[in-house]
Amino acid sequence: MIRRASALIACAAAAALVFPPTASAAEATPVATGLDIPWGLAFLPDNSALFTQRDTGQIMSLKDGQVTEVQRIEDSQPTDGEGGLMGIAASPDFASDQTVFVFYSTSEDNRIAKLRLGEAPQPILTGIKKNRFHNGGRLAFGPDGMLYATTGDAQDPDHAQDVNSLNGKILRMTTDGKPAPDNPFGDSVVYSMGHRNPQGLAWDSAGRLFSAELGQNTWDEVNRIEGGKNYGWPVCEGTCGNDEYVDPLVTWKTSEASPSGLAIHQGNVYVAALRGQRLWQIPLADDGTLGEPKALFQGEYGRLRTPVAAPDGTLWVTTSNQDNNGDPGPDDDQILSITP
């Protein structure tokens, strides 16, 4: 009798779990074309956007359909792979401080810097190891006002399990590059560890952090990120079932994803797939549970890199067909405005 009651309670809880609807059809409209590997994308208070071009080292502005160069980060250097000028995030106080943050590769390292537009960048965190691949590079401000950054293992998996290394991590810091006061590993900017090449970062309405991560040869992942947790690389790729490590919420074969960016928009998680050449839409329930992924635009726009929720209620997504693995069309690269 007790078992039957428990089963009924479990069934009722499952029935109460409500996911938002997934798109039966989605429309995409180009808002900018002829770009060169747009990587990071951030909106400003006036609803204009800034984006980075990875290999050229340029910060670009997109306003009222017009693309203009804001400035070039002179010491940004591409790595003939995945490095260069990558993430960009606008200060939460941009209206008053006019400051943005960028993540880029130099001749020596990967680093994070802040700058007022048009002025020289001021490094706030240096010494992140770089390599041709696995540089991470995403920047985003959390609802706590802290700056978060993703770093890859720089093609040395041992970095991911070394808490004293900045690589293979998700970092959390103040706007001066100092450890957030309540970080889990003491006086360290490290927030979570055991990552191979995390790139997507986004929070839901309850403040839960989700990240997309590129696997090696077998499984790509979406993870729920919590401070102090270990996500398993290189011991685990995909679901491990080891209590020492956190298992992903969603996995895909690497041929179906190679996820770079992640956004949360209108009750869904969106993950942009490079090798998989599609946009994954994943229903997000109120308790943080993820539903069944659905592929949008499969093969229509090539390699997709960065989705960001736009002020106009659409979802903007960048393509990445001008990179070493792409097959660019006449309009590539593009930024698309998607109405799910």
Side-chain angles (χ1 to χ4, degrees):
M1 192 67 179
I2 293 174
R3 290 179 184 173
R4 178 175 173 79
S6 298
L8 288 172
I9 292 170
C11 289
L17 196 62
V18 177
F19 291 104
T22 55
S24 57
E27 298 180 356
T29 303
V31 293
T33 61
L35 309 177
D36 192 346
I37 316 178
W39 206 101
L41 175 66
F43 285 95
L44 301 181
D46 66 356
N47 294 343
S48 67
L50 296 175
F51 65 92
T52 59
Q53 295 197 138
R54 188 189 69 192
D55 287 4
T56 67
Q58 293 168 291
I59 298 176
M60 311 294 287
S61 171
L62 175 52
K63 185 173 184 178
D64 299 327
Q66 299 297 312
V67 175
T68 56
E69 179 181 337
V70 176
Q71 69 185 90
R72 189 183 299 265
I73 306 300
E74 296 297 339
D75 58 346
S76 177
Q77 292 192 7
T79 63
D80 192 32
E82 296 171 350
L85 180 56
M86 294 172 283
I88 187 168
S91 164
D93 299 317
F94 182 87
S96 58
D97 64 25
Q98 301 292 297
T99 298
V100 299
F101 295 77
V102 289
F103 188 121
Y104 59 97
S105 308
T106 72
S107 59
E108 301 174 353
D109 61 4
N110 285 321
R111 59 182 54 187
I112 300 169
K114 64 180 179 181
L115 67 147
R116 290 173 64 92
L117 294 177
E119 298 181 2
Q122 305 170 36
I124 62 170
L125 186 65
T126 61
I128 304 167
K129 294 184 185 299
K130 71 164 192 173
N131 213 316
R132 184 181 179 190
F133 302 108
H134 305 186
N135 292 290
R138 195 68 60 183
L139 290 178
F141 276 95
D144 56 4
M146 295 294 115
L147 179 63
Y148 291 71
T150 69
T151 66
D153 66 11
Q155 296 179 265
D156 184 344
D158 290 343
H159 291 319
Q161 290 298 321
D162 180 1
V163 73
N164 295 311
S165 169
L166 295 175
N167 290 83
K169 307 296 190 297
I170 292 176
L171 311 178
R172 179 174 177 258
M173 68 199 78
T174 69
T175 55
D176 292 322
K178 305 300 183 184
D182 55 347
N183 270 4
F185 297 104
D187 188 28
S188 170
V189 295
V190 172
Y191 187 66
S192 65
M193 59 188 294
H195 299 287
R196 179 178 181 269
N197 195 16
Q199 291 190 7
L201 287 176
W203 289 260
D204 69 5
S205 59
R208 292 175 289 238
L209 174 58
F210 296 84
S211 177
E213 181 156 351
L214 294 101
Q216 185 172 26
N217 298 313
T218 310
W219 299 112
D220 293 324
E221 305 175 358
V222 171
N223 289 293
R224 162 87 184 279
I225 303 299
E226 296 181 85
K229 297 296 181 66
N230 189 324
Y231 290 80
W233 176 255
V235 179
C236 301
E237 180 183 358
T239 300
C240 186
N242 184 327
D243 290 342
E244 293 184 30
Y245 310 116
V246 179
D247 283 338
L249 302 179
V250 175
T251 59
W252 296 277
K253 295 178 181 178
T254 54
S255 60
E256 297 175 339
S258 296
S260 177
L262 180 150
I264 295 177
H265 180 60
Q266 296 180 354
N268 290 282
V269 173
Y270 289 90
V271 178
L274 293 165
R275 184 180 172 192
Q277 298 191 13
R278 67 200 78 178
L279 181 66
W280 286 106
Q281 182 189 45
I282 313 169
L284 172 62
D286 289 343
D287 69 348
T289 302
L290 297 185
E292 186 69 23
K294 176 180 179 179
L296 306 177
F297 305 110
Q298 186 170 340
E300 292 185 38
Y301 295 100
R303 294 163 59 80
L304 302 182
R305 182 173 295 279
T306 301
V308 178
D312 65 1
T314 67
L315 185 74
W316 284 21
V317 180
T318 71
T319 72
S320 196
N321 295 313
Q322 294 283 354
D323 66 15
N324 294 336
N325 297 303
D327 183 18
D331 295 326
D332 283 323
D333 273 314
Q334 306 181 65
I335 298 176
L336 306 168
S337 176
I338 292 173
T339 304

